Amino acid sequence: MTTRTMGEPIPRREDPRLVAGDGRYLDDLGRGALAAAFVRSPHAAARVVDVDVSRALEVDGLVAIYTYEDLEGPMAEPLPLLIPHPRLHAGRTAYPLANGVVRHVGEPVAMVVARDRYLAEDACERIAVAYEPLAPVVGLDAAVAAERAVHDDVPDNVAAHMVQEHGDARAAVAAAPHRLELDLSIERSASMPLEGRGVYARWDAADRSLRVYSSTQTSTSVRFALAVKLGVPVDRVEVVAPDVGGGFGVKIVHPWPEEVLVPWAAIRLGREVKWAEDRREHFVASAHERGQRHHVSVGFDDDGRLLGLDVEFLHDNGAYTPYGIIVPIITATQLLGPYKPGAYRAEFRSLYTNTVIVTPYRGAGRPQAAFAMERTMDAIAAYLHRDRAEVRSANFIQPSEMPYDHHLTFQDGRPLVYDSGDYPATLDKIKKLVGWDEFEAFREEARAAGRRVGIGLACYVEGTGVGPYEGAHVRVETNGTVVVATGLTTQGQGHETAFAQVAAEALGVPVERVTVVTGDTRRFKYAVGTFASRAAVMSGNAVALAAGKVRAKALRIAAEALETDPDDLEVADGMVRVKGAPEREIALETVAVLANPLRYAFDEQTKLATQFVVGRGAEDPPVAEDDEPGLEATDWYSPVRSTFANGMHAVVVETDPETAEVRILRYCVVHDCGRLINPRIVEGQIHGGVAQGVGGALYERMVYDENGQLLNASFMDFLMPYASEVPKVETDHLETPSPLNPLGIKGAGEAGTIPGAAVLAAAISDAEGFFIDTMPISPSELWALREKEDG
Amino acid sequence: MKPPVFEYHRPGSVAEALDVLAQTGHDGKVLAGGQSLVPLLNMRLAAPAHLVDVNWLGELDQVPCDAGGVRVGALARHARVEHDPGAAEAVPLLGQAIGDIAHTTVRNRGTVVGSLVHADPAAELPAVLVLLGGTMELASAGNRPRRVAAADFFVGPLESALRPGELATAAHFPRPPAGSGSAWVELARRHGDYAVCGVGVLVALDQGLRVSSARAALISVGPVPVPVDLTDALAGQPHDAADWAAAGRLAAAAVDPEDDIHASAAYRRHLAGVLTARAARSAAAAAASRLEASA
């Protein structure tokens, strides 16, 4: 018998702290630190001719002003290209401060450090930068036309060109009995966490050590990057991610210009320095995503079965490529969803424009992929006058075909092989949940009342839990508490709760006894980060493995104390017991004491473990040669490849016949992320994901003008949905455990977002009777489409 | 997003406030609810050298109602006016329109007079004042207070007839004639956003419950609120079966909207028609029920 905590919907233990305003976010730290602010380019493309700081020097409280000229060594070189790829033939990254050229509005040109942020901004305002503006490249058309280049040495603006193919897709399309061609576009949006980026650095001159707090999705990697950039030995650098107010992808990029400059200035000045990004900076100086345009050629048979699928697309990667081409690679490979494509070919070009860079944003290329694939499925169904669910069903990979090899290479460089999933069962569930087969009756009823309604369905498969690895350390303290540390970070996912559940179950202790630390390199030095729906899969399994090791050690020590065999013991509720003889038991905290022979006693518990009380034979060392003191262990989880979660969304919308407003009447989600650690947390992930999916489909976009100015760089004009715009989400789960990891889990973080644009486009199209090929869509645009349809 | 240096004044009386404003002239700016001003300061889009905080002037926090209408003092918050029973009885349109201003937190702090002085072409209250033919009361040191009619007060986008050194002490919303009803309808991208298009309509019925006159004022379709007389389209028609679409066509023809990032000019013009028709129908229904209740 073990204490069951896995799978229980226990409340998130971090919520009382976070909801009551007791979180410790970046700007809550370092009250006495100097403040940094940045002079940023007002031009999308320009040469920097001169930087005149003379008027800024008059600002009382000014401490320092830095420009590119002040940087030397690795700091004077471009920032790292984090994920090189052979197909990224012209990858480019920015300098920490502009080196003679700026390539997007918002690029940092000078850094000011002052007594407080007010004064720092005063000084920024007084720095006169002379620019020679250049004609910018804005939008995919301009990038392709290449009349101007974003980087002089990349005259065609093409950063990467990649083709993946299995079979002869073009021949298969040409030979198919039916063919369709579609152009499908998605506009830019952004992660837009409520807390922007932020960095706070403390340099201890006597110790020659650096501590940096960063609002990041990867503290371990920031640590290594800073050591390289700043020339400080890595063992003298600590990086801590405090409470982080959302990441969604943007905070996986590192090191940001500000992230190296703030510690660099702290070392130079010997003072604490802090920078907390404001919202305007976040819009123009962090990252966006989603901007892609796809051309689909598809050939299919009379049942709508895919025979050949040929997709070409253009990806707008902005001015630089620090995160490589992960997003378009994911689109190219995840486009296939739950379907067998026949022959498949995907070709993309990743293009430079004079706009903010791109990083993966929750979904990371999959929302575009699902939009392209699912709109294609709808188009096939319309062409054949068949039910949209039926056409999808005809193309499903069957459970008996798992593992299913697509013969493509995924974003982690590994073969794209689906490990598990039951797509027909998922479809059954979503059809039941939304009432797919009863919808026509509802449509007629609504029509009779002068209402216009529509229904949409969209499927997705999501590769989650990418490697290379995560690790965890689990220790039982002599007071009985269990401390878990893992290196990946937390941005609100509930890791303190979920990992505690995993450890509690693996160890056999009440979950309340377990505390969890994440994202602190003082506690765990090796990790990758939190992104790609990987935390539960990667660290979850590492915690389970490390806790399993601790349990084994506890059984061994307890067996000696109880003079029995470890196989005869079990652990439950924090007690190690002889099976069938529960009166013979020893508390886990006592085992922890016995595991650590002591010379000194400092409380009642440790008195039990000093050398005159316990000890091995007189001729044996107190700690055996092959043993270690302490009841603790570290272990690692490194999967062969990603595990593939899946799901389906179905939506019912109503469109206003006069105003073209779109109202979501039902939003249904069926989701399979394998075994659930905590259903409540999974539901929360789905709800939050749906909110972002709805935002991307109906509200959010980045509106650049022809000069490369972002016209809606505030929360007044960038329309993130409020609670009032997010529908009630109805969910159902399917659990097909992953065979790839011990816990059988698959990632759940992005599932809610991925099919948002696809399913809403489908439902609106269904309500309106015409095909929507571009998202997001506003009432104004929907009305314009109606006018066009009506001639 | 931190404001530059400014001098902060906290006058203890209206007279003192007027003195400070007279001294600071163009460099002075009144701080009431701060819902527009503070973001402008933080984004450094406005940088007044002096801020005159009127939040301590309790004498301005009054909403007296009488047979003539509602006089809203400069410190009365939106929420106060929205929920004031006297104001609701005298000028129902005030509460109807205020309900569409942003969110509760903003309405708890922002002031009616502050919104009027800010003169945002997308704001609700300037249209309400124009539709009702209200007036602004403007005070300045050493001068008698002057009254400016709504039609003359709103000069352009974010531009009013308020002069440097003046304090808007109150706005007067006249009570609409007996037998009339009002409605406010707007379409916003998200709950509480500035309207893509909004319209207030005032309909007066005769004893036979037929429309005797109807007027509208629209927002977000011109530099200032656009008043439209709908009487020609509706006069003499029954309160529950008038040609609302014709009223909408009058409104659509009267406005001159522009494209922006949220909507095209053509869509806004279309909305002006649709929303005016809807508001006119609701206003007539409200007038009828008021008449029937008083009968």
Side-chain angles (χ1 to χ4, degrees):
Chain A
M1 193 206 90
T2 56
T3 317
R4 181 169 159 70
T5 56
M6 275 282 284
E8 292 298 313
I10 63 174
R12 288 171 22 130
R13 56 169 60 166
E14 45 273 87
D15 282 347
R17 184 179 89 247
L18 298 177
V19 173
D22 293 331
R24 274 173 86 245
Y25 298 95
L26 194 283
D27 207 20
D28 295 322
L29 313 174
R31 289 284 167 170
L34 299 174
F38 292 86
V39 176
R40 298 181 181 279
S41 171
H43 299 290
R47 271 186 257 288
V48 180
V49 180
D50 182 51
V51 182
D52 178 358
V53 303
S54 51
R55 281 191 61 239
L57 300 177
E58 298 160 8
V59 172
D60 183 33
L62 175 72
V63 175
I65 299 173
Y66 301 110
T67 66
Y68 179 77
E69 309 303 323
D70 297 302
L71 306 177
E72 27 184 61
M75 284 295 288
E77 292 165 18
L79 292 164
L81 201 165
L82 289 167
I83 309 179
H85 190 284
R87 298 281 84 74
L88 178 59
H89 63 270
R92 297 290 180 271
T93 58
Y95 293 90
L97 291 168
N99 177 15
V101 184
V102 286
R103 295 189 178 86
H104 66 85
V105 171
E107 189 163 351
V109 176
M111 179 195 198
V112 170
V113 181
R115 202 170 59 227
D116 62 40
R117 178 69 184 241
Y118 294 81
L119 299 171
E121 290 190 22
D122 286 351
C124 285
E125 221 171 33
R126 288 160 163 260
I127 294 173
V129 183
Y131 295 96
E132 184 187 317
L134 305 168
V137 177
V138 183
L140 283 167
D141 286 332
V144 171
E147 289 166 12
R148 299 177 296 279
V150 175
H151 297 272
D152 287 344
D153 56 349
V154 189
D156 60 359
N157 290 318
V158 178
H161 176 213
M162 187 168 179
V163 180
Q164 288 211 50
E165 183 160 24
H166 180 59
D168 187 341
R170 287 178 168 172
V173 173
H178 309 290
R179 289 183 292 276
L180 282 172
E181 307 254 335
L182 300 157
D183 289 297
L184 299 159
S185 300
I186 295 275
E187 282 189 32
R188 272 194 180 191
S189 181
S191 301
M192 213 48 73
L194 280 188
E195 184 198 24
R197 298 173 295 143
V199 193
Y200 161 46
R202 295 155 54 163
W203 172 248
D204 185 329
D207 195 43
R208 301 202 63 71
S209 68
L210 178 71
R211 183 182 302 168
V212 174
Y213 295 85
S214 182
S215 188
T216 181
Q217 292 175 231
T218 174
S219 52
T220 44
S221 193
V222 169
R223 173 171 173 256
F224 288 114
L226 287 180
V228 168
K229 276 287 171 192
L230 303 175
V232 178
V234 72
D235 71 318
R236 303 275 85 191
V237 182
E238 301 166 342
V239 178
V240 182
D243 281 327
V244 174
F248 310 112
V250 66
K251 294 177 183 174
I252 193 62
V253 170
H254 64 280
W256 289 96
E258 301 87 350
E259 207 164 30
V260 293
L261 287 164
V262 166
W264 174 81
I267 293 171
R268 275 178 79 106
L269 296 169
R271 310 271 301 272
E272 297 186 7
V273 181
K274 182 170 77 172
W275 170 72
E277 183 181 54
D278 68 31
R279 187 56 54 186
R280 194 175 162 72
E281 289 182 294
H282 189 76
F283 271 102
V284 299
S286 62
H288 302 162
E289 209 239 281
R290 302 275 198 263
Q292 272 179 200
R293 213 160 67 194
H294 316 76
H295 181 79
V296 177
S297 302
V298 61
F300 49 96
D301 67 14
D302 295 343
D303 295 322
R305 208 169 284 121
L306 300 174
L307 300 173
L309 181 62
D310 180 14
V311 181
E312 290 180 22
F313 65 97
L314 303 174
H315 171 80
D316 177 349
N317 60 227
Y320 302 104
T321 54
Y323 209 75
I325 47 174
I326 290 298
V327 171
I329 291 176
I330 292 176
T331 301
T333 47
Q334 296 266 264
L335 191 138
L336 297 172
Y339 312 118
K340 289 178 278 192
Y344 177 62
R345 181 178 188 279
E347 173 176 9
F348 71 78
R349 283 179 177 75
S350 188
L351 294 154
Y352 286 113
T353 60
N354 288 113
T355 61
V356 172
I357 65 163
V358 163
T359 66
Y361 156 40
R362 197 177 200 175
R366 296 178 189 87
Q368 300 94 312
F371 184 68
M373 187 73 249
E374 295 300 303
R375 289 275 67 198
T376 300
M377 282 290 162
D378 289 338
I380 292 171
Y383 177 90
L384 296 172
H385 302 290
R386 279 177 175 266
D387 178 68
R388 289 171 282 166
E390 199 180 296
V391 168
R392 285 170 166 83
S393 178
N395 285 287
F396 280 157
I397 297 162
Q398 298 300 313
S400 58
E401 295 174 280
M402 295 290 176
Y404 187 85
D405 188 348
H406 276 294
H407 301 283
L408 300 170
T409 303
F410 192 43
Q411 65 143 322
D412 52 3
R414 308 235 152 196
L416 183 71
V417 179
Y418 292 179
D419 56 310
S420 56
D422 186 339
Y423 310 137
T426 310
L427 182 66
D428 281 347
K429 272 181 178 276
I430 194 79
K431 283 176 69 176
K432 281 204 187 77
L433 184 60
V434 76
W436 183 264
D437 292 330
E438 296 80 47
F439 185 75
E440 285 313 313
F442 174 68
R443 191 201 302 276
E444 285 314 312
E445 205 177 290
R447 200 197 310 269
R451 296 170 61 197
R452 208 181 274 192
V453 296
I455 192 167
L457 170 70
C459 312
Y460 65 94
V461 170
E462 182 198 358
T464 69
V466 297
Y469 70 85
E470 288 295 338
H473 179 259
V474 174
R475 183 173 62 243
V476 179
E477 304 282 14
T478 54
N479 65 1
T481 60
V482 178
V483 181
V484 174
T486 184
L488 58 59
T489 56
T490 300
Q491 303 91 46
Q493 291 90 347
H495 294 160
E496 287 177 43
T497 307
F499 295 155
Q501 288 178 263
V502 172
E505 171 116 350
L507 262 178
V509 301
V511 69
E512 297 76 24
R513 283 205 204 168
V514 186
T515 61
V516 176
V517 175
T518 63
D520 186 338
T521 66
R522 297 171 299 183
R523 303 291 298 276
F524 204 87
K525 290 194 174 357
Y526 293 94
V528 182
T530 295
F531 57 93
S533 304
R534 69 190 295 280
V537 180
M538 303 301 298
S539 280
N541 279 292
V543 168
L545 292 168
K549 272 181 153 179
V550 171
R551 183 175 183 277
K553 182 169 184 179
L555 292 183
R556 178 164 55 77
I557 294 167
E560 279 178 31
L562 295 169
E563 296 175 337
T564 183
D565 190 273
D567 291 344
D568 294 334
L569 296 176
E570 63 181 11
V571 190
D573 291 330
M575 302 298 290
V576 186
R577 290 178 191 141
V578 178
K579 291 176 199 167
E583 70 287 354
R584 292 183 62 200
E585 64 176 20
I586 179 170
L588 211 50
E589 54 262 46
T590 307
V591 178
V593 169
L594 297 175
N596 184 22
L598 294 171
R599 185 169 178 84
Y600 310 113
F602 38 84
D603 65 4
E604 290 306 315
Q605 273 291 86
T606 46
K607 272 184 197 166
L608 301 174
T610 51
Q611 57 202 334
F612 297 105
V613 182
V614 296
R616 293 151 51 84
E619 295 308 312
D620 297 321
V623 177
E625 270 178 30
D626 57 352
D627 207 356
E628 294 171 356
L631 188 50
E632 64 178 356
T634 299
D635 209 345
W636 308 87
Y637 174 62
S638 181
V640 185
R641 64 178 71 92
S642 296
T643 175
F644 289 79
N646 74 91
M648 298 178 192
H649 291 199
V651 165
V652 177
V653 301
E654 175 166 6
T655 58
D656 187 302
E658 291 183 313
T659 63
E661 288 169 287
V662 176
R663 196 152 67 93
I664 300 172
L665 302 180
R666 306 267 315 274
Y667 200 117
C668 302
V669 176
V670 174
H671 182 240
D672 178 0
C673 59
R675 203 173 155 209
L676 304 179
I677 299 173
N678 182 328
R680 184 190 295 241
I681 289 178
V682 173
E683 294 262 324
Q685 286 287 338
I686 290 170
H687 292 181
V690 166
Q692 285 181 306
V694 168
L698 301 179
Y699 298 99
E700 300 166 0
R701 68 184 68 206
M702 291 293 171
V703 186
Y704 279 99
D705 71 9
E706 67 277 13
N707 298 315
Q709 298 289 340
L710 185 60
L711 300 182
N712 61 337
S714 79
F715 277 161
M716 191 168 88
D717 285 321
F718 178 84
L719 308 178
M720 267 203 321
Y722 299 126
S724 45
E725 278 64 54
V726 178
K728 174 175 155 35
V729 183
E730 303 165 57
T731 55
D732 195 1
H733 296 279
L734 194 73
E735 293 191 42
T736 60
S738 171
L740 296 183
N741 62 72
L743 294 178
I745 55 186
K746 312 181 224 182
E750 297 165 273
T753 307
I754 293 166
V759 76
L760 280 159
I764 297 167
S765 292
D766 186 50
E768 296 288 316
F770 51 77
F771 192 82
I772 289 166
D773 59 13
T774 302
M775 291 293 270
I777 190 163
S778 68
S780 179
E781 289 161 325
L782 181 58
W783 179 77
L785 288 178
R786 283 180 185 172
E787 295 286 294
K788 208 171 112 193
E789 287 294 316
D790 295 345
Chain B
M1 284 213 193
K2 304 289 182 196
V5 172
F6 54 79
E7 194 171 329
Y8 173 81
H9 304 267
R10 191 203 282 174
S13 67
V14 170
E16 196 186 326
L18 296 179
D19 283 342
V20 178
L21 286 168
Q23 286 155 24
T24 55
H26 281 283
D27 296 330
K29 191 86 188 156
V30 173
L31 174 68
Q35 297 303 295
S36 297
L37 179 58
V38 171
L40 288 171
L41 292 174
N42 286 346
M43 288 191 265
R44 297 192 175 219
L45 296 171
H50 300 269
L51 274 194
V52 184
D53 184 350
V54 298
N55 281 284
W56 302 80
L57 307 182
E59 55 195 297
L60 296 178
D61 189 9
Q62 310 285 337
V63 188
C65 304
D66 60 21
V70 182
R71 186 177 176 277
V72 180
L75 204 52
R77 317 282 172 184
H78 294 307
R80 157 102 188 264
V81 180
E82 181 184 7
H83 300 297
D84 186 282
E89 185 274 325
V91 185
L93 183 58
L94 257 180
Q96 291 162 352
I98 290 175
D100 273 348
I101 297 175
H103 308 95
T104 304
T105 44
V106 171
R107 297 201 292 271
N108 282 340
R109 187 72 191 164
T111 63
V112 166
V113 170
S115 171
L116 292 166
V117 168
H118 190 55
D120 193 309
E124 290 81 2
L125 290 171
V128 171
L129 197 72
V130 165
L131 181 61
L132 296 171
T135 50
M136 296 293 289
E137 297 179 18
L138 312 176
S140 55
N143 301 305
R144 293 177 52 167
R146 64 185 183 114
R147 289 170 181 275
V148 178
D152 302 321
F153 186 72
F154 302 104
V155 177
L158 305 181
E159 200 185 346
S160 77
L162 189 80
R163 295 173 188 150
E166 278 186 330
L167 175 67
T169 49
H172 186 258
F173 295 89
R175 184 189 289 264
S180 64
S182 62
W184 182 266
V185 176
E186 73 175 51
L187 186 147
R189 287 302 320 276
R190 298 172 300 183
H191 176 80
D193 276 353
Y194 278 116
V196 176
C197 178
V199 57
V201 170
L202 191 64
V203 172
L205 302 180
D206 61 21
Q207 289 306 312
L209 297 184
R210 290 173 180 276
V211 177
S212 56
S213 71
R215 278 182 290 144
L218 294 102
I219 60 170
S220 294
V221 286
V224 293
V226 180
V228 184
D229 193 334
L230 307 175
T231 308
D232 284 352
L234 301 174
Q237 299 175 37
H239 73 95
D240 54 356
D243 189 354
W244 311 117
R249 285 194 294 276
L250 273 184
V255 299
D256 186 19
E258 291 179 0
D259 289 332
D260 73 7
I261 62 174
H262 299 303
S264 69
Y267 176 64
R268 281 204 160 88
R269 186 184 296 283
H270 167 76
L271 283 185
V274 170
L275 302 186
T276 299
R278 290 181 182 181
R281 183 203 299 263
S282 300
S289 58
R290 275 176 84 121
L291 274 172
E292 280 160 359
S294 64

